Structures are given as structure tokens and as C-alpha cells.
Amino acid sequence: MNCSKSTVLRAAARAAASAAGPAPARRSIFTATAAASSSSACTAARFTRPAAARAAPTVTQKRFVQTLDFGGSKETVWERSDFPKEKLAKIFANDTFAVLGYGTQGYAQSLNLRDNGLKVIVGVRKGGHSWEAAKKDGWVEGKTLFTIEEAADKGTVLMYLLSDAGQKQGWNTIKPYVKKGKTLYFSHGFSIVFHEQTGVVPPKDVDVILAAPKGSGATVRSLFLEGRGINSSVAIYQDASGQARERAFAMGVAIGSGYLYETTFEKEVHSDLVGERGILMGAIQGAFAAQYDVLRAKGHSPSEAYNETVEEATQSLYPLIAKNGMDWMYANCSTTARRGALDWAPKFYSATKPVFEELYARVEDGSETARSLEENSRPDYRERLEEELREIRESEMWRAGKTVRGLRPENQK
Ligand SMILES: NC(=O)c1ccc[n+]([C@@H]2O[C@H](COP(=O)([O-])OP(=O)(O)OC[C@H]3O[C@@H](n4cnc5c(N)ncnc54)[C@H](OP(=O)(O)O)[C@@H]3O)[C@@H](O)[C@H]2O)c1
């Protein structure tokens, strides 16, 4: 895209200057969390964990939940400031959080809960990758680190954070510990909504709730440590105690969220599966590759094709769109770029909408979850995955990308 860079820079500087103006009397609900939204699908992030745990940020209760206008629709949102640490301590005074699974979410949520002063134990398979990772993070065998069964027995809030395929495989082991008065917690609607495929059907006398961070566990942790918070959705599937709703929102904050919006288990899983297959990862890789291949077929160098497809998008335009919105982006690029983008956006809309409709239908009818369970339950799923990732990594476009990234001044020693 041929945006005038000086125009963009000047406008960005103006936006930054106006954002730095006098502090508003009351904090906008968006300021603390606007940058927090990201893919809900990144699992590789455990390798980029923030190194050290710091003290949890102090949060003072400012006010109660508010209803805001989201593009013309009114929605109620909850914020971290609605549940300061003292309030969390009261709500969960008699609870032990048993975090079952220590992938990227188990890691982040358990540490954030612990730093929020709550009683937390971790349950994972002994000797596995997660067992070692949990020990490295300070969980102590026999005190705060247990097998899945032991932790499920001791916990009052069972946080079912195994992989979604693992939740199906582990359900018969967990089920005897899901007893009256306990809370069963998820970060995805998958197992419950597609219970015909997973077999996960909780007893009626437990609360069943969900808090689903809209981003990788690494971001859940790093934003928390920065005193910010990820955006998460919250849902209640069963309210046996009559307190499930308050406890669900409180948990959303306790695990490190900045703001929370309400959904249902069904809507959460449908939107999440569409998002990660669509614009968050699947569609973007497909569209990047299609444009790159057309440019290459027309004789453009890999360097040019990559810069016009990925680098300019991720380094310049997407951060500006995240910060200021698409109308601002259109208003702050060259007149040539603006005219073309305005003309071509409807064509891309028409071309991709049927694909998104097909995707939603496959999510809704359970085809996508069935495929995910089948593929991710194979004993050799890691090897098969690595083969697919190797193909992407070794494609010309992403090899060119590696060279381009290496040329960024900050990546040169
Ligand atoms: N990843 C995200 O960014 C994200 C975002 C929002 C919500 N969620 C949801 O959060 C939940 C957890 O996801 P995650 O990404 O943190 O975890 P994950 O990487 O998908 O799962 C890893 C954990 O599951 C355990 N596990 C897998 N199969 C198992 C089995 N058969 N028996 C026992 N343990 C098993 C692993 O233990 P071992 O190390 O011993 O194999 C590990 O502790 C899922 O419901 C996911 O959809 C994820």
C-alpha cells in the first residue's frame, strides 16, 4: 500500500499528542484494555513467558459495572476495578482453586490467581512437560503441585484447563471429583457445548462457569504484571449455588482480565472457533499467501512481495488501525491508496463472506470440533503438526520474512 508515510507519521503524532492531553476525570473503559485484544488461539506463547513474577498491582474499587454503547448496542461490562483484591478475598474466602492443566492458560491463570492472594493448587500429569514447567514456576510437589486427581479432590473450584482434546480424554478421571457445591470452570465452551462429542456432562448440583481470555496465556500474564488486563468473556452454564454469576465475573478478574463482557458457552465457542480459523489466523495466512503469490507470479522480488504484503501491514498499518480505527487509517493515507482501498474493500467482502458463512456453519454443526478432537487426540499429533508447520516455515514467503525481520534495525546487533 502506498500510504504517504509522512502523512501517517504526522497524523500519528497528532493522535498521540491529543491522547496525552489532560487526564479525564473518569477513566475511559477502553484506555486500559484497548491493546489487549488478540488471538485466542496462540498456544506457542508459553515459550515467551514473562520471566519473573512480581507483586500483583494494587487495584482500588472505583465504581460498579456500567452499560456502554458498542456501535449502537448497549452492553454491560465489568472491569478489574469492580473486583479489587479485598473483594476477591471475601468472595473466595473458602475456596481452593485447582488449576487442572498447565498449558499457556493454566500457567498464566494460576500465577495471576496466586498473585491476587487466592489459594491455588496445580494438577497435572506427573513427570510430563507441564509438571516440570510448574515446578520451575514455583509450584511445590505435595504442597501446591499434585496429580490431576489429587488436585481435583482438594479443589473447590476445578479449573478445567487441559487441552480441549485432553478434556475429553480426562473427563472420566475428573468426574468423580466434580461434587455438589463445587464450581467447574472452563476457558472455552468447547467441551460443554459439544458434549455429544466430548462426553463432558457435569452433574446438576455444581456451578459451571467460563472465563475465556481473548488472547494467549502469555499476554494474560504479561498484561497482569504490567497492571493492565486482557479482555475476556464470561458465561454461566449452570447456577446451582445461586452465586455463579458474581463468582464468574470475580473469577474473570482474579485470573487477570481488564474488562469482561457476558456471553453464553455456545456463543463463546462459535465465535472463538470462527475467529481463529478466520481473520485471526486462517484467513490472514491464506490472504497473505494469495497476494504474495500473485506478486511473485508477476515478477516482483520476494523482498518486494513480502514488504507489500506482510511487513508493511504488521509493522505500520495494523498497529495504527488498532490504535485509531479503520476510518482514521483511510483518512491518513495517500489519496491514491484511500481511493483504491475504498473501491476494493466491497469486492473482498463479497469474495470472503461466503467462506465465513461456510466456516460458521461447520463450527455450528460440530464438524470443526469433531476434526479438532480427532486430529489432536492422535498419539503422533505433535509430529504431524510439526510437519505442517515446517511447510509454512519453509515456504518462500516466510523465509523471505525471516530475512526481512532480521533487517529491522532493532534486530541487528
Ligand atoms: N491457548 C490460548 O491462547 C487459549 C485462549 C483462551 C482459551 N483457551 C482454552 O484454555 C484451555 C487450555 O488451553 P491451553 O492452550 O492453556 O492448553 P493446551 O496447550 O491446549 O493444553 C496443555 C495442557 O493439557 C494437558 N493435557 C493434554 N492432554 C492431556 C491428557 N490426555 N491428560 C492429561 N493432561 C493433558 C497438558 O499436560 P502435559 O504437559 O502433561 O501434556 C498441558 O498441561 C482450553 O480449553 C483452550 O481452548 C486457550
Side-chain angles (χ1 to χ4, degrees):
M1 178 174 171
N2 186 18
C3 280
S4 153
K5 291 197 171 67
S6 59
T7 317
V8 168
L9 287 175
R10 274 197 307 277
R14 276 199 305 275
S18 74
R26 191 165 173 219
R27 179 170 64 89
S28 155
I29 193 158
F30 298 110
T31 48
T33 54
S37 206
S38 56
S39 163
S40 60
C42 302
T43 51
R46 64 184 303 155
F47 301 111
T48 54
R49 291 169 173 186
R54 279 168 255 151
T58 309
V59 176
T60 317
Q61 181 157 11
K62 289 180 184 160
R63 50 158 182 72
F64 288 94
V65 293
Q66 55 178 332
T67 301
L68 296 177
D69 186 315
F70 286 79
S73 299
K74 299 273 187 247
E75 290 187 38
T76 301
V77 295
W78 289 253
E79 290 180 85
R80 177 180 282 189
S81 56
D82 297 321
F83 291 97
K85 274 173 81 171
E86 315 80 67
K87 193 168 173 185
L88 293 177
K90 264 192 203 153
I91 293 172
F92 298 117
N94 300 318
D95 282 300
T96 299
F97 294 90
V99 178
L100 310 176
Y102 205 74
T104 174
Q105 290 300 330
Y107 142 76
Q109 296 188 25
S110 61
L111 293 180
N112 290 355
L113 285 164
R114 189 173 74 180
D115 287 352
N116 266 328
L118 301 169
K119 190 172 174 203
V120 188
I121 58 175
V122 170
V124 286
R125 340 183 229 216
K126 207 164 188 174
H129 179 84
S130 297
W131 182 269
E132 295 309 318
K135 280 210 297 197
K136 279 197 189 115
D137 289 340
W139 303 101
V140 180
E141 184 174 352
K143 286 189 177 158
T144 51
L145 176 62
F146 300 95
T147 64
I148 293 175
E149 292 88 329
E150 286 167 342
D153 188 28
K154 292 177 192 301
T156 56
V157 179
L158 307 188
M159 298 174 65
Y160 206 20
L161 296 177
L162 305 185
S163 69
D164 296 308
Q167 290 178 22
K168 174 182 176 175
Q169 288 165 358
W171 178 243
N172 286 335
T173 310
I174 300 293
K175 204 176 166 187
Y177 304 103
V178 187
K179 289 183 184 150
K180 185 175 179 180
K182 289 197 181 189
T183 298
L184 183 62
Y185 164 99
F186 295 84
S187 280
H188 200 3
F190 189 128
S191 291
I192 290 284
V193 173
F194 293 98
H195 58 84
E196 285 175 6
Q197 294 172 13
T198 64
V200 177
V201 180
K204 290 283 170 218
D205 51 7
V206 298
D207 287 353
V208 181
I209 61 175
L210 165 154
K214 297 295 116 187
S216 148
T219 323
V220 173
R221 182 65 177 153
S222 62
L223 289 180
F224 176 81
L225 290 173
E226 288 166 28
R228 299 161 68 204
I230 195 105
N231 305 339
S232 300
S233 60
V234 166
I236 294 96
Y237 183 73
Q238 276 181 197
D239 184 1
S241 68
Q243 292 164 352
R245 191 176 161 78
E246 186 185 35
R247 284 167 63 82
F249 281 104
M251 268 199 81
V253 168
I255 62 155
S257 308
Y259 103 78
L260 304 156
Y261 60 91
E262 189 161 11
T263 186
T264 63
F265 271 61
E266 201 168 50
K267 288 234 165 15
E268 190 283 332
V269 70
H270 290 170
S271 59
D272 191 77
L273 294 181
V274 167
E276 65 201 9
R277 280 153 183 72
I279 215 71
L280 300 177
M281 290 199 296
I284 213 156
Q285 162 65 7
F288 278 162
Q291 176 170 304
Y292 180 91
D293 286 352
V294 168
L295 290 172
R296 288 288 289 129
K298 290 292 180 184
H300 298 267
S301 67
S303 181
E304 185 163 66
Y306 185 84
N307 268 287
E308 287 295 347
T309 302
V310 181
E311 192 73 352
E312 186 171 345
T314 58
Q315 297 304 295
S316 173
L317 301 197
Y318 292 176
L320 288 170
I321 294 165
K323 195 167 177 196
N324 304 306
M326 191 57 107
D327 61 318
W328 183 96
M329 191 68 254
Y330 279 19
N332 288 283
C333 63
S334 71
T335 51
T336 310
R338 182 189 311 145
R339 184 66 264 142
L342 286 167
D343 289 346
W344 278 87
K347 292 186 211 269
F348 282 108
Y349 178 89
S350 306
T352 58
K353 193 159 177 247
V355 185
F356 285 109
E357 282 167 345
E358 181 194 344
L359 168 57
Y360 198 99
R362 277 185 55 85
V363 165
E364 209 171 18
D365 72 15
S367 307
E368 289 298 313
T369 39
R371 174 160 165 74
S372 170
L373 286 171
E374 190 190 335
E375 287 295 314
N376 295 328
S377 300
R378 291 177 189 275
D380 64 343
Y381 97 95
R382 279 184 207 275
E383 293 76 27
R384 293 161 66 102
L385 171 69
E386 177 49 32
E387 181 56 27
E388 286 183 86
L389 298 187
R390 190 182 59 74
E391 270 177 41
I392 296 177
R393 188 165 56 243
E394 292 182 2
S395 68
E396 184 193 275
M397 180 172 76
W398 289 111
R399 279 187 293 128
K402 193 174 177 194
T403 308
V404 172
R405 289 195 298 276
L407 286 167
R408 290 182 200 151
E410 70 271 23
N411 290 341
Q412 291 175 359
K413 298 240 160 94

